[in-house]
Amino acid sequence: MAGICTIMGVPFNNISMTEAMGIILLNLKERKQTVIYTPNPEMVMAAQKDKKFMQVLNDADLLLPDGIGVVKASKFYHNPIKERVAGCDLIEEIFSRIKTSINTVYFLGGAEGVAEKAKQKMQRRYRGLGISGTHHGYFKDGSPEEKEILDEINRLNPEVLLVGLGFPRQEKWIAKHKNELNSIIIIGVGGSFDVLSGNVKRAPEFYRNHGLEWFYRLVTQPTRFKRMLVLPVFMIRAIGERFGAKIEFKGDRVTIKKIEGKKKKTKRK
């Protein structure tokens, strides 16, 4: 394995899609629970202000870079990330590899009916894929409905659990409940059910292959403009940190502070 590339406190596993799949399939075989998150620049930035979210990310078994911005920023760091491992691509690669096995999947998240629509579409695309159940993501944490969902997941006993509640809720939800769940591979998948269902069109292959998926989203979904502004801020802060400077933006003011006694630590190998 290629080790870890830590960017702004978030320790990404520097592995390819092929290597990630090797780990996932091995852990499925050995029934070793594995929690996987796929942070993008927006999530890394959110973790700077949310210590609990940062800790949850650090406690994951695999952190894979779902964002070309993360890959680009890593080029300024030790052990630069070799490739982007997008969440949607990872999910469909899993489906293609387990469709003829006894392993099943559960979809949790999205608006009412979206996960079910995604299930139907994926079962047509991957003949033989066992999707044991679905549930929307509009439930309250700590509610009786949540307890029913947890009970249903364990009753159906899916080996793979996909949780699409949006960040940081999905990561915190997984961290809180992983020890209650029997599932082996648990992945935070963000808005992937909207894509898998066909409700949201993913960028054409050309844009994905050239690191321009963000541009396609901006053009087709102009309402994402404010969210996209985090990308240049992330790049500036990530590069600044690499060279020992903490750069912060507050309104029209920019502050630069030297990072004293910086130590790089990570508990994951």
Side-chain angles (χ1 to χ4, degrees):
M1 193 181 296
I4 300 294
C5 179
T6 301
I7 300 175
M8 296 174 68
V10 179
F12 289 90
N13 291 86
N14 188 3
I15 57 178
S16 65
M17 175 68 79
T18 299
E19 291 169 321
M21 282 306 306
I23 294 169
I24 289 169
L25 294 175
L26 177 62
N27 289 356
L28 269 174
K29 182 179 179 180
E30 296 183 348
R31 302 194 67 79
K32 179 182 177 182
Q33 190 179 73
T34 306
V35 171
I36 304 171
Y37 306 134
T38 59
N40 58 23
E42 194 175 0
M43 293 171 67
V44 175
M45 290 294 287
Q48 307 308 302
K49 298 180 180 180
D50 186 337
K51 291 183 179 180
K52 182 177 180 180
F53 185 39
M54 177 67 82
Q55 187 60 56
V56 166
L57 293 179
N58 273 263
D59 288 342
D61 298 300
L62 284 178
L63 280 184
L64 305 175
D66 186 353
I68 193 64
V70 172
V71 178
K72 295 292 187 183
S74 78
K75 303 307 179 187
F76 294 89
Y77 284 72
H78 172 69
N79 198 22
I81 295 169
K82 61 180 71 176
E83 69 178 58
R84 177 190 180 204
V85 183
C88 274
D89 293 336
L90 179 69
I91 294 167
E92 294 207 48
E93 186 65 25
I94 292 173
F95 292 166
S96 70
R97 300 293 290 273
I98 70 171
K99 64 182 181 181
T100 58
S101 73
I102 61 172
N103 296 310
T104 61
V105 188
Y106 190 100
F107 291 179
L108 172 62
E112 186 79 46
V114 171
E116 184 62 30
K117 185 177 177 181
K119 169 187 173 180
Q120 294 170 8
K121 189 168 183 178
M122 290 301 101
Q123 286 185 318
R124 289 194 297 270
R125 180 177 300 174
Y126 300 98
R127 296 292 181 182
L129 177 65
I131 301 177
S132 59
T134 69
H135 198 284
H136 63 79
Y138 286 76
F139 60 89
K140 291 185 178 180
D141 295 343
S143 66
E145 184 180 12
E146 180 187 59
K147 178 62 166 59
E148 292 173 2
I149 292 168
L150 290 166
D151 289 344
E152 178 180 75
I153 293 171
N154 282 335
R155 177 174 56 81
L156 295 173
N157 203 30
E159 283 77 12
V160 179
L161 172 61
L162 305 182
V163 183
L165 304 176
F167 83 88
R169 183 188 175 203
Q170 65 193 9
E171 289 80 14
K172 291 180 178 179
W173 190 91
I174 291 170
K176 180 179 179 180
H177 297 291
K178 63 182 180 180
N179 293 333
E180 304 170 51
L181 293 162
N182 298 327
S183 298
I184 302 167
I185 306 298
I186 307 176
I187 310 176
V189 300
S192 293
F193 296 139
D194 287 317
V195 176
L196 298 179
S197 67
N199 286 0
V200 173
K201 186 178 180 181
R202 196 173 178 196
E205 191 171 346
F206 171 84
Y207 291 87
R208 300 201 302 269
N209 291 343
H210 290 81
L212 294 171
E213 190 164 7
W214 64 270
F215 179 72
Y216 178 85
R217 288 182 179 178
L218 181 58
V219 171
T220 56
Q221 298 175 288
T223 54
R224 296 176 62 93
F225 176 74
K226 287 187 177 180
R227 290 181 60 182
M228 291 293 183
L229 291 177
V230 75
L231 296 177
V233 174
F234 163 77
M235 289 296 293
I236 293 169
R237 286 195 58 176
I239 295 170
E241 185 193 79
R242 170 63 181 86
F243 294 101
K246 183 176 182 180
I247 303 174
E248 294 185 334
F249 297 82
K250 296 181 179 179
D252 59 354
R253 295 181 60 190
V254 179
T255 60
I256 303 176
K257 297 179 182 178
K258 184 178 179 180
I259 300 175
E260 301 288 349
K262 183 181 174 184
K263 296 181 180 180
K264 294 182 179 180
K265 293 183 179 180
T266 178
K267 60 178 289 187
R268 297 189 294 117
K269 302 290 184 179

